[in-house]
Amino acid sequence: QLQLQESGPGLAKPSETLSLICTVSGGSISSNSDHWGWIRQAPGKGLEWIATVYFTGRNYYNPSLESRVSISVDTSKNQLSLNLRSPTAADTAIYYCARHEGPSNVFIPYYFDYWGQGTLVTVSS
Amino acid sequence: EVVMTQSPATLSVSPGERATLSCRASQSISSNLAWYQQKPGQAPRLLIYDASTRAAGIPARFSGSGSGTEFTLSISSLQPEDFVVYYCQQYDNWPPWTFGQGTKVEIK
C-alpha cells in the first residue's frame, strides 16, 4: 500500500525559506506512470494546488506561486520536496503531498489518489 | 485558469436521504473532473474521477454525473460518516489544476 508522509518545520519565519519533505513508501517515486504533487489548505479554507513533479525533474507550478516555489525529487531517498521562499502569514496552511495520477497509457497527471496526512506550517515571526 | 464553483456551500440533509451536490466549471472541461471527500482532521480522499468512475473501495451510494460545465455528485442514502466536506477538481486545462471551494453536508 502506497503511503506518503510529510515533514516540515511546524513554524516558519517570514522572509526565510519554508522547506517541506514528503517520504514515499510502498512504491517507487521513480515509477514511470506517476507524478507527485503538493497541495495546501489554509485554516478553514479550500484546497490549492501548488506544484507537481515527475521523477525526471519535469515540473509544473501554480502561476500564483511560481515565482516563490520550487519542487524536486530525490530518487535515492524516495522523497519529494518543496521550497517556498519569503513566506508570509498568508502561506500558513496544512501542506499535503499526494500522488498525482493519470491514465497509465498517457503519462499526464490528472487527479490525486494517494495523500499524506498533511503537515501544518504556521508562518510567524 | 478554470474556475470551479460548487453549490450550495452548505447542504442540510436528513440521514438516509439523498444528497445532490453541484460543481460548475467556468469553461468546458469535458469529463475531466474528480470529486473528493474530506473528513475533519484528515486528508481528502478521492471518490470519483472522469466525472463518473468510482475510485477503488468507494461505496456504490456515491455516484457522479455530468460533462462540459455542469457536474453532480449524488449520495443515495446518507450515512453518518457522509456528513463532511466535498470538493470537485478539474484536470482538463492545466496548470493550474483547480478545486472548487467545497460543499459541507450537514445533518438536517
Side-chain angles (χ1 to χ4, degrees):
Chain A
Q1 177 78 343
L2 190 67
Q3 293 186 317
L4 296 87
Q5 178 68 59
E6 304 90 346
S7 57
L11 180 66
K13 293 187 181 300
S15 301
E16 295 183 352
T17 296
L18 187 167
S19 296
L20 300 168
I21 289 175
C22 174
T23 301
V24 177
S25 59
S28 173
I29 205 166
S30 303
S31 169
N32 285 338
S33 59
D34 296 335
H35 289 71
W36 308 90
W38 288 95
I39 304 100
R40 70 181 182 179
Q41 185 171 37
K45 302 298 185 182
L47 301 166
E48 179 182 34
W49 169 75
I50 303 170
T52 288
V53 67
Y54 191 57
F55 77 96
T56 58
R58 180 178 66 198
N59 51 50
Y60 308 89
Y61 294 109
N62 192 321
S64 68
L65 296 165
E66 186 167 12
S67 64
R68 297 194 294 131
V69 300
S70 60
I71 188 172
S72 61
V73 293
D74 185 334
T75 55
S76 67
K77 296 181 179 179
N78 226 32
Q79 293 178 335
L80 66 154
S81 62
L82 182 76
N83 287 331
L84 177 62
R85 294 177 290 277
S86 302
T88 69
D91 295 310
T92 293
I94 297 173
Y95 286 76
Y96 297 101
C97 61
R99 189 173 76 170
H100 199 167
E101 185 69 334
S104 58
N105 58 335
V106 181
F107 302 144
I108 296 175
Y110 282 178
Y111 44 81
F112 304 93
D113 61 347
Y114 286 90
W115 296 65
Q117 65 184 27
T119 185
L120 175 62
V121 177
T122 301
V123 180
S124 174
S125 56
Chain B
E1 173 176 326
V2 179
V3 177
M4 307 301 294
T5 303
Q6 293 186 240
S7 61
T10 303
L11 182 64
S12 298
V13 187
S14 299
E17 296 289 301
R18 182 182 191 87
T20 302
L21 290 66
S22 295
C23 176
R24 174 177 293 178
S26 60
Q27 64 189 68
S28 177
I29 58 169
S30 186
S31 296
N32 295 316
L33 183 99
W35 289 95
Y36 301 85
Q37 176 192 65
Q38 188 176 32
K39 298 180 178 180
Q42 295 186 17
R45 177 176 69 149
L46 178 67
L47 294 177
I48 301 282
Y49 61 93
D50 293 346
S52 61
T53 303
R54 276 190 302 276
I58 301 303
R61 65 179 183 273
F62 292 93
S63 63
S65 63
S67 66
T69 62
E70 301 285 343
F71 299 87
T72 299
L73 174 69
S74 297
I75 312 171
S76 60
S77 178
L78 280 162
Q79 302 300 300
E81 62 270 26
D82 299 335
F83 291 92
V84 291
V85 180
Y86 296 85
Y87 294 94
C88 60
Q89 176 235 323
Q90 68 83 23
Y91 47 90
D92 185 77
N93 192 323
W94 46 266
W97 289 265
T98 50
F99 294 87
Q101 80 280 19
T103 290
K104 180 181 180 180
V105 178
E106 67 174 20
I107 299 175
K108 185 175 183 179

